[in-house]
C-alpha cells in the first residue's frame, strides 16, 4: 500500500468517525449504502494509482537517455558557379552539378568543346527580333516545341545511360530528387525544379542561329518540349546556346514556385572557356564560396563505401581538385578531413559525427575560425554530417569538433598533415586506404592521383582523355615511408600522357617544402600543385605538374621564402616516355 492510498483511507476513516449517530436504517438500505461506499473507495484508489503511475512514467521520460542524434538541416544558402552560370540556391534546396554527364553523352564525332568555344562571329547569325520568337511555343503546337533529333555521326558512340535533352549543366530543386536529371522525368507533386543545359541540337546545325542573349524570362504558359511539359526559355551566353526547363508539381506551394523563379531570374552569366568535368558522376553542390577572388564548390557524391567529398576551383581548368572518400566516421574516428587551397586561402572540409554541434579551426596564434556543419542529402545515406572551414593564410592549427554541451569530441591536426584516426589495436597496421589525393584537368582530359593500395604504400597517377587512358604507380617508396624516411629526399616520377600531348611530373616531398617548381631548358618556369595525403603519412605532401610536348629541365624544392631546401632533380619528359 503506497502513501497516497494510506492517506486516502485514513481521511475516509476520520470522516466516518466525525459523523453523528443516526437512527438505525433498514437492513436492505444499509447493504446498498455499504456497496456504494466500497465502489467509491475502489474508484478513488484506482484513480490515485493511475496518477502515481503517470507521474513515474513522466519522471522516466525526463531522465531517460537521449535519442541518438539526427543529421542536421540541409545545405545553407549558397551562391555557386558552374561553367557560364552563377546561381544562388535557397537554404535547404538541392543543387546538382550535372556537367560530369557530358563525358557519357556523345554529340557528334566533332569536338563539342571546339564548337562551344568558337568565336561568336563564326557562328552567330542575327538574333530573333523578340525573345518570344526564341522560346518554345504554347501547348497549341507541341510538335513545334520539340527539338529535332540530333544528327549522329557514324563514328559517334551512344551513351550507356538514359540521355537527357541537351548537355546538362545543373539543376536546382526544392527537395532531394536524386542525381539524375529531371529532364524527361517527373518532380514530386509538391516539387519545383530548374534544369539548365547546353543546347547540343543547336550546336550541331550547319547554320547556328543563336537565341537572344541572357536574360530571357521563363514564360507564363507551359509548353511541350524536349524535357516534357514545362516552362522553357532559350538564350545565349556569349557564343553558346542554352535552354532552361522549369517543372512544377501539381501541389507545389506558391512560395516554392516563386523561389525557383527568383533564383532563375537572379542568375548571373559570364562566358568562359568550358572546363572539362572533374568527376565521373554528378554531385550535390553542398557548399560554395570565394577565395582569393575565385569561386569554389564543395560537392558530395556516392563512393564505394559511403561518400566522396570533392573541392574544386570553379573558374580555372588548370586548378587541381582535392578530396577524400569512404570516410571512417563514426566507426574508427569522429572527425576526418582534408583541404583545398586557392591563392593562400584554405578550405578545410570532411566528415564529422552527428553528435557534433560545432566545428572550429584553432590556429597556432590562438585565433579561432568557426566552421559550418551540414547534413548530406538523404539519398547518400551517409552515417555522418559534412563540415567545412574557410581559413585565411597558411598558418597551421587544429580542427576541433564540439558537442552540444561544449565538450570536445575530436581533434585533428591541420589538413596538410593528414587526418588523425582512432589508434589501431596493438600490433595492427594503419590501412593506407587508397584515398584520392587530388584530381584535375589537363590536355583535354582528367587526371587523378591516389594512394596505392599496395602494402608498401606509394601513389598512382591515372589520366583519361577521349576514352583512352594512361598512368603509372611509383616504383620508389614516397617520402615518409620506411625506405625513405621523412626529410631524407623528395621523390620525382614522370608519367607520359600519350597521344602527342605531354607528360605529368609527379612525386612526393617532405612537408617543409612549400613550392615545387620546374625550370625548363626552354626557359619555362612552372609551379606544381601541392597536395596533402588524405589517409597517409603526416610527413609527406604530393605534387603534380602537367607539361606539354617534350623537354628537359630541373625540379626545384623551395621553402615559403624561395630558398632551396633539397638538391634539384634533373628530368626529361615526352608524351610517350621515349
Amino acid at each position: 500500500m503506497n502513501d497516497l492510498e494510506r492517506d486516502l483511507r485514513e481521511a475516509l476513516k476520520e470522516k466516518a468517525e466525525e459523523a453523528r449517530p443516526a437512527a438505525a436504517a433498514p437492513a436492505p438500505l444499509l447493504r446498498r449504502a455499504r456497496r456504494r461506499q466500497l465502489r467509491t473507495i475502489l474508484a478513488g484508489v484506482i484513480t490515485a494509482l493511475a496518477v502515481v503511475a503517470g507521474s513515474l512514467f513522466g519522471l522516466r521520460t525526463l531522465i531517460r537517455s537521449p535519442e541518438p542524434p539526427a543529421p542536421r538541416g540541409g545545405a545553407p544558402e549558397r551562391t555557386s558557379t558552374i561553367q557560364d552560370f552563377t546561381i544562388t540556391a535557397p537554404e535547404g534546396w538541392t543543387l546538382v552539378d550535372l556537367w560530369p554527364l557530358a563525358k557519357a553523352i556523345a554529340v557528334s564525332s566533332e569536338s563539342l568543346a571546339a564548337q562551344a568555344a568558337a568565336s561568336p562571329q563564326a557562328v552567330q547569325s542575327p538574333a530573333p527580333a523578340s525573345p518570344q520568337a526564341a522560346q518554345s511555343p504554347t501547348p497549341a503546337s507541341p510538335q513545334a516545341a520539340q527539338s529535332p533529333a540530333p544528327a549522329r555521326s557514324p563514328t559517334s558512340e551512344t551513351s550507356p545511360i538514359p540521355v537527357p535533352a541537351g548537355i546538362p549543366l545543373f539543376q536546382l530543386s526544392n527537395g532531394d530528387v536524386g542525381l539524375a536529371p529531371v529532364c524527361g522525368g517527373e518532380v514530386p507533386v509538391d516539387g519545383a525544379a530548374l534544369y539548365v543545359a547546353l543546347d547540343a541540337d543547336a550546336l550541331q546545325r550547319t547554320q547556328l542561329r543563336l537565341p537572344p542573349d541572357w536574360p530571357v524570362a521563363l514564360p507564363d504558359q507551359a509548353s511541350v518540349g524536349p524535357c516534357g511539359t514545362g516552362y522553357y526559355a532559350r538564350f545565349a551566353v556569349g557564343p553558346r546556346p542554352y535552354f532552361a526547363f522549369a517543372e512544377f508539381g501539381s501541389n507545389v506551394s506558391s512560395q516554392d514556385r516563386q523561389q525557383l523563379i527568383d533564383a532563375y531570374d537572379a542568375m548571373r552569366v559570364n562566358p568562359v572557356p568550358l572546363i572539362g568535368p572533374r568527376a565521373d558522376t554528378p554531385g550535390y553542390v553542398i557548399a560554395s564560396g570565394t577565395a582569393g577572388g575565385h569561386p569554389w564548390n564543395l560537392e558530395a557524391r556516392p563512393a564505394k563505401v559511403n561518400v566522396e567529398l570533392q573541392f574544386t576551383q570553379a573558374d580555372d581548368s588548370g586548378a587541381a581538385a582535392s578530396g577524400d572518400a569512404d570516410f571512417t566516421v563514426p566507426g574508427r574516428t569522429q572527425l576526418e578531413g582534408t583541404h583545398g587551397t586557392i591563392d593562400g586561402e584554405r578550405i578545410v572540409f570532411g566528415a564529422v559525427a552527428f553528435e557534433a554541434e560545432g566545428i572550429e579551426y584553432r590556429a597556432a596564434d590562438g585565433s579561432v575560425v568557426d566552421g559550418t556543419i551540414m547534413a548530406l542529402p538523404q539519398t547518400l545515406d551517409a552515417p555522418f554530417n559534412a563540415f567545412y572551414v574557410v581559413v585565411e593564410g597558411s598558418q597551421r592549427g587544429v580542427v576541433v569538433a564540439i558537442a552540444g554541451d561544449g565538450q570536445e569530441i575530436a581533434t585533428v591536426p591541420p589538413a596538410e598533415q593528414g587526418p588523425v584516426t582512432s589508434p589501431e589495436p596493438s600490433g595492427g597496421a594503419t590501412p593506407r586506404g587508397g584515398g584520392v589525393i587530388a584530381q584535375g584537368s589537363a590536355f583535354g582530359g582528367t587526371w587523378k592521383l591516389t594512394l596505392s593500395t599496395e602494402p608498401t604504400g606509394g601513389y598512382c597517377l591515372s589520366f583519361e582523355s577521349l576514352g583512352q587512358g594512361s598512368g603509372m604507380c611509383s616504383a620508389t617508396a614516397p617520402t615518409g615511408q620506411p625506405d625513405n624516411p621523412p626529410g631524407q629526399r623528395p621523390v620525382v616520377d614522370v608519367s607520359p600522357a600519350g597521344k602527342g600531348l605531354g607528360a605529368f611530373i609527379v612525386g612526393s616531398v617532405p612537408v617543409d617544402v612549400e613550392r615545387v617548381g620546374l625550370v625548363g631548358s626552354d626557359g619555362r618556369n612552372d609551379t606544381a600543385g601541392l597536395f596533402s595525403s588524405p589517409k597517409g603519412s603526416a610527413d609527406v605532401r604530393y605534387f603534380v605538374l602537367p607539361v606539354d610536348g617534350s623537354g628537359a629541365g630541373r625540379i626545384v624544392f623551395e621553402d615559403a621564402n624561395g630558398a632551396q631546401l633539397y638538391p634539384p632533380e634533373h628530368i626529361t619528359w615526352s608524351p610517350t616516355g621515349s
Side-chain angles (χ1 to χ4, degrees), residues 38-48:
L38 181 59
R39 284 196 298 268
T40 301
I41 293 173
L42 289 176
V45 170
I46 292 172
T47 300

Side-chain angles (χ1 to χ4, degrees), residues 122-144:
V123 297
Q124 187 169 5
S125 57
S130 66
Q132 289 77 8
Q135 294 176 2
S136 299
T138 60
S141 179
Q143 292 80 5

Side-chain angles (χ1 to χ4, degrees), residues 3-188:
D3 293 340
L4 184 60
E5 183 181 358
R6 184 180 301 107
D7 292 343
L8 181 61
R9 287 198 174 185
E10 289 177 355
L12 290 174
K13 182 178 179 181
E14 291 174 359
K15 292 296 183 183
E17 290 175 349
E18 291 174 359
R20 285 180 289 180
L29 179 59
L30 289 175
R31 285 194 296 269
R32 286 196 300 270
R34 290 192 185 102
R35 285 196 297 268
R36 200 159 38 243
Q37 290 172 348
L38 181 59
R39 284 196 298 268
T40 301
I41 293 173
L42 289 176
V45 170
I46 292 172
T47 300
L49 291 175
V51 171
V52 172
S55 300
L56 293 175
F57 177 80
L59 182 61
R60 285 196 300 270
T61 301
L62 291 174
I63 65 174
R64 67 183 177 182
S65 300
E67 293 292 333
R72 297 171 72 89
E77 179 182 279
R78 57 220 178 273
T79 298
S80 309
T81 297
I82 301 176
Q83 303 300 329
D84 289 341
F85 296 87
T86 298
I87 185 170
T88 298
E91 180 180 1
W93 284 52
T94 300
L95 180 63
V96 176
D97 177 7
L98 296 173
W99 184 238
L101 290 178
K103 285 184 177 181
I105 299 176
V107 177
S108 70
S109 58
E110 200 171 354
S111 169
L112 172 63
Q115 296 181 54
S119 66
Q121 292 79 9
V123 297
Q124 187 169 5
S125 57
S130 66
Q132 289 77 8
Q135 294 176 2
S136 299
T138 60
S141 179
Q143 292 80 5
Q146 297 177 355
S147 301
R152 303 279 185 182
S153 163
T155 60
S156 296
E157 296 181 3
T158 57
S159 170
I161 63 174
V163 179
I167 305 297
L169 264 74
F170 65 87
Q171 72 185 23
L172 175 68
S173 58
N174 63 344
D176 181 8
V177 295
L179 292 172
V182 297
C183 178
E186 292 184 358
V187 299

Side-chain angles (χ1 to χ4, degrees), residues 260-330:
L260 185 139
I261 294 173
D262 290 346
Y264 170 82
D265 289 340
M267 283 195 313
R268 303 194 303 272
V269 301
N270 180 32
V272 296
L274 292 181
I275 300 173
R278 309 285 185 87
D280 297 324
T281 59
Y284 294 100
V285 182
I286 59 174
S288 299
T290 57
H294 299 281
W296 58 264
N297 294 328
L298 180 61
E299 298 187 1
R301 53 180 46 85
K304 184 177 180 180
V305 175
N306 45 59
V307 174
E308 176 188 13
L309 295 178
Q310 182 190 55
F311 169 86
T312 59
Q313 181 176 331
D315 64 349
D316 186 355
S317 60
S322 60
D324 200 359
D326 296 336
F327 295 89
T328 59
V329 176

